[in-house]
């Protein structure tokens, strides 16, 4: 098991920091480009990885909610479904080229799951994230548990220890380090 820390600076900057077995790595995508940094080395992120990370940001619940009145976002009702024992309303969302289908609990507005076409280790895949353990953070209900399947098979389980909303961040975290 490793640790993952995500930092989003809306609307278009995203940084993931990973620590797996003592090996630290950061991946950054933003208007200035995309790169990965590890062990003092930095390299440009391949286009496909950059595009997938950018789409991941555009599928984020908080980013979509924040940009709900903006251009490039469409939301359409797509029927109903069950997620576990809960009834859900389905929403088809397109956000600047990133598509996602949310299953939303009509009683409280919680996103129960998100289904999208993404990339896995073997290439393109049907991904489904199921969200659980909602807790209120600064007045916003956020899921602290996530289970991801890839092509119907379990892929990962994520337990979120904490969220911080609007913590402020150093813009240099999104800049490519100079050698």
């Amino acid at each position: 098991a490793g640790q993952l820390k995500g930092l989003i600076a809306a609307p278009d900057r995203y940084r993931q920091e990973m620590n797996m077995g003592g090996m630290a790595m950061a991946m950054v995508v933003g208007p200035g480009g995309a790169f990965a940094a590890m062990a003092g080395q930095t390299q440009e992120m391949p286009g496909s990885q950059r595009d997938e990370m950018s789409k991941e940001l555009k599928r984020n619940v908080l980013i979509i909610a924040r940009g709900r009145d903006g251009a490039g976002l469409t939301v359409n009702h797509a029927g109903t479904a069950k997620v576990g024992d809960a009834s859900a309303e389905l929403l088809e969302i397109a956000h600047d080229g990133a598509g996602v289908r949310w299953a939303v609990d009509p009683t409280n507005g919680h996103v129960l799951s998100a289904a999208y076409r993404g990339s896995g280790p073997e290439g393109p895949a049907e991904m489904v994230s199921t969200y659980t353990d909602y807790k209120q953070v600064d007045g916003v209900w956020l899921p602290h548990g996530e289970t991801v399947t890839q092509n119907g098979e379990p892929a990962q389980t994520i337990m979120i220890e904490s969220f911080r909303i609007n913590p402020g961040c150093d813009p240099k975290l999104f800049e490519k380090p100079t050698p």
Side-chain angles (χ1 to χ4, degrees), residues 83 87-91 102-113:
V83 177
S87 295
E89 297 293 325
L90 298 177
L91 300 177
W102 285 354
V104 179
D105 184 329
T107 66
N108 57 26
H110 294 174
V111 177
L112 302 176
S113 68

Side-chain angles (χ1 to χ4, degrees), residues 10-176:
D12 56 4
R13 293 177 289 159
Y14 182 31
R15 179 183 177 97
Q16 284 185 347
E17 296 175 3
M18 293 153 277
N19 192 328
M20 305 284 188
M23 180 72 72
M25 178 177 165
M27 295 189 305
V28 177
V29 64
F35 64 90
M38 185 170 84
Q41 302 292 314
T42 303
Q43 72 179 53
E44 293 296 320
M45 196 179 288
S48 60
Q49 189 177 13
R50 176 198 64 228
D51 293 347
E52 186 59 34
M53 197 168 166
S54 179
K55 286 180 182 178
E56 184 178 333
L57 176 63
K58 292 173 185 177
R59 290 188 294 260
N60 180 278
V61 173
L62 293 174
I63 294 296
I64 289 173
R66 184 180 184 278
R68 67 189 174 278
D69 297 326
L73 178 68
T74 59
V75 180
N76 292 301
H77 187 262
T80 60
K82 284 281 214 185
V83 177
D85 294 332
S87 295
E89 297 293 325
L90 298 177
L91 300 177
E92 286 286 342
I93 300 168
H95 185 210
D96 288 333
V100 63
R101 177 182 281 214
W102 285 354
V104 179
D105 184 329
T107 66
N108 57 26
H110 294 174
V111 177
L112 302 176
S113 68
Y116 56 93
R117 186 103 174 123
S119 290
E122 289 93 39
E126 295 299 322
M127 310 292 280
V128 178
S129 292
T130 303
Y131 304 108
T132 60
D133 194 23
Y134 271 82
K135 297 176 186 173
Q136 199 168 31
V137 178
D138 294 335
V140 179
W141 287 94
L142 296 170
H144 285 67
E146 179 180 355
T147 302
V148 181
T149 61
Q150 179 178 314
N151 293 327
E153 297 294 322
Q156 59 182 300
T157 300
I158 301 167
M159 299 307 299
I160 299 168
E161 293 178 9
S162 66
F163 280 99
R164 293 184 350 185
I165 298 176
N166 296 323
C169 64
D170 184 349
K172 291 183 181 182
L173 290 172
F174 301 95
E175 294 175 5
K176 187 175 177 181

Side-chain angles (χ1 to χ4, degrees), residues 1-15:
Q3 279 190 316
L4 174 69
K5 180 179 177 182
L7 179 61
I8 295 171
D12 56 4
R13 293 177 289 159
Y14 182 31
R15 179 183 177 97

